[in-house]
Amino acid sequence: MSLIAGSYERFIWGFKLRSTKNDQNYELTPLFSFPSHLSPIKCTAVAGSAAVSGGADDTIKIYDLSTCSEIGSLHHSATVTSLSFFTPSSFSFPRNLIAASEDGSVSIYDADPFVHLKSVKVHRKAVNSICIHPSGRLALTVGRDECMAMVNLVRGRRSFYCRLGKEASLVNFSDGGEKFFMVMDDKISVHESEDAKTILELDSKKRVLCATSGMHGILFTGGEDRSIKAWDITSGKIAYSIEDAHSTRVKGIVVLHKNSDGDAEDHQHIVASASSDGVIRVWDVRMTNKDKPNPLAEVNTKSRLTCLAGSSIKSMKRPEVGNTTSNGQQLDASEES
């Protein structure tokens, strides 16, 4: 697993999680660390060997994890608030990058090479979070205007917009895309993707700052309670949790997902977390039955971390990219709305 973390001090941190053949010992090996932005880093995203970070300097920085180097930058319209890659199921390298910004717009980029395709005005205020459906055909956004929007990524335009009544800070799809969830302070609502019907409402008691989907209907959350919770989005109950995972609030969680090598079943128990005190820890969630599980690996960046992203251990090989993707159709944002 490769991990990248952004910090308030403008630094980007890269690590590689290495394990022995029998997966008994792990260590986080540094890949790089340098001040990549002129202002605090707001968000990061990783897909295969490609990684990006967005900052308050209106810039997206691009990194190649296979060479541990920064390879370019994209100038944005405003502060970059959220980033998401679309990677077809048969690829280990992303096909598109979607970026959200503080001016309420969403920008669509080709990722081979990184070229701007189109920007769409989606919200009246800043976009807080964006996520892409596994099909690559649509994205959901939530913003400070207390609204949720759907973006048609094939046509490059907003196709749906509704008022939530309260500001949501995060939105994301489940692993298979059949459901999506939104975070509003200490509450998490789970919805059907087909009709947005509310299935569950989860109460974390304290403010949730990060959330990500795992496999088999598990939703991981972290926040001001300093713990990592794994929710079963079928029953609405906590499947397991790591109490006091960090000494300060949890700012990012990464779960190993499926990749082209098909080894997710062997490593899906690995979860990484980052806290605002600069510590990144890697956990084996199978050890949560212990009173106080110990992390598999740990590193202290000694900076105020703001975000965390990661990719699978073996997804570093870049494939040949043709004119179309799996799931039918290449994203085409060149068509005017």
Side-chain angles (χ1 to χ4, degrees):
M1 179 187 290
S2 298
L3 297 170
I4 65 166
S7 70
Y8 187 82
E9 293 85 358
R10 305 174 290 116
F11 268 73
I12 190 75
W13 300 82
F15 297 94
K16 181 67 178 289
L17 178 64
R18 302 186 185 276
S19 64
T20 59
K21 290 184 178 180
N22 57 3
D23 289 348
Q24 294 298 313
N25 299 304
Y26 290 82
E27 65 175 353
L28 284 168
T29 304
L31 294 177
F32 52 79
S33 64
F34 59 94
S36 61
H37 287 262
L38 300 176
S39 301
I41 297 175
K42 297 286 189 178
C43 52
T44 52
V46 178
S49 60
V52 289
S53 61
D57 56 359
D58 306 350
T59 302
I60 299 171
K61 295 288 186 176
I62 309 167
Y63 315 92
D64 185 347
L65 297 180
S66 63
T67 60
C68 303
S69 61
E70 179 184 316
I71 59 174
S73 61
L74 300 168
H75 296 288
H76 209 56
S77 58
T79 294
V80 184
T81 56
S82 185
L83 293 164
S84 184
F85 277 118
F86 168 61
T87 305
S89 58
S90 60
F91 287 7
S92 58
F93 193 84
R95 187 66 186 88
N96 293 87
L97 170 68
I98 313 297
S101 63
E102 206 165 60
D103 63 0
S105 67
V106 169
S107 295
I108 306 171
Y109 298 88
D110 194 338
D112 185 44
F114 283 90
V115 176
H116 179 258
L117 299 176
K118 189 175 183 179
S119 292
V120 184
K121 183 70 173 179
V122 178
H123 290 268
R124 292 191 296 270
K125 295 182 180 179
V127 181
N128 289 330
S129 179
I130 188 169
C131 64
I132 304 175
H133 189 269
S135 68
R137 293 177 173 273
L138 62 91
L140 294 179
T141 62
V142 291
R144 292 183 190 169
D145 55 2
E146 300 183 354
C147 292
M148 181 185 75
M150 180 186 295
V151 181
N152 184 325
L153 296 177
V154 177
R155 295 184 176 274
R157 65 187 184 190
R158 190 180 75 181
S159 58
F160 179 76
Y161 186 72
C162 70
R163 180 168 292 279
L164 300 173
K166 190 175 183 180
E167 180 180 343
S169 58
L170 294 169
V171 63
N172 207 346
F173 283 102
S174 62
D175 186 56
E178 300 88 358
K179 300 178 178 67
F180 72 90
F181 64 86
M182 291 186 292
V183 173
M184 298 180 181
D185 293 329
D186 59 344
K187 304 293 192 300
I188 307 111
S189 59
V190 183
H191 307 261
E192 292 282 2
S193 295
E194 185 176 358
D195 55 9
K197 179 183 177 181
T198 302
I199 305 171
L200 291 170
E201 291 188 353
L202 312 174
D203 188 356
S204 186
K205 305 301 182 184
K206 290 191 177 181
R207 187 181 178 193
V208 175
L209 302 175
C210 54
T212 189
S213 294
M215 297 179 69
H216 308 304
I218 295 295
L219 171 64
F220 291 90
T221 63
E224 292 186 348
D225 61 0
R226 300 177 288 116
S227 67
I228 299 172
K229 291 185 174 69
W231 301 84
D232 184 335
I233 59 174
T234 301
S235 65
K237 297 179 180 180
I238 297 177
Y240 47 85
S241 65
I242 302 174
E243 300 298 328
D244 297 320
H246 290 272
S247 59
T248 57
R249 55 188 180 174
V250 181
K251 296 287 288 184
I253 298 177
V254 171
V255 182
L256 181 61
H257 285 283
K258 289 180 287 188
N259 58 66
S260 58
D261 295 290
D263 62 355
E265 291 295 330
D266 296 328
H267 295 93
Q268 61 178 309
H269 57 273
I270 298 176
V271 176
S273 59
S275 61
S276 56
D277 62 357
V279 175
I280 299 173
R281 287 175 175 157
V282 179
W283 307 90
D284 184 340
V285 298
R286 297 174 299 182
M287 306 300 290
T288 54
N289 56 346
K290 292 186 176 182
D291 292 336
K292 179 62 177 177
N294 294 318
L296 297 176
E298 177 179 325
V299 67
N300 190 350
T301 64
K302 298 182 180 179
S303 63
R304 291 175 288 176
L305 297 181
T306 57
C307 49
L308 181 71
S311 69
S312 58
I313 294 173
K314 296 183 180 180
S315 60
M316 300 297 287
K317 183 180 178 182
R318 177 170 173 168
E320 295 295 327
V321 180
N323 294 325
T324 60
T325 69
S326 63
N327 300 311
Q329 187 173 355
Q330 176 182 330
L331 300 185
D332 182 8
S334 61
E335 182 176 340
E336 294 296 332
S337 59

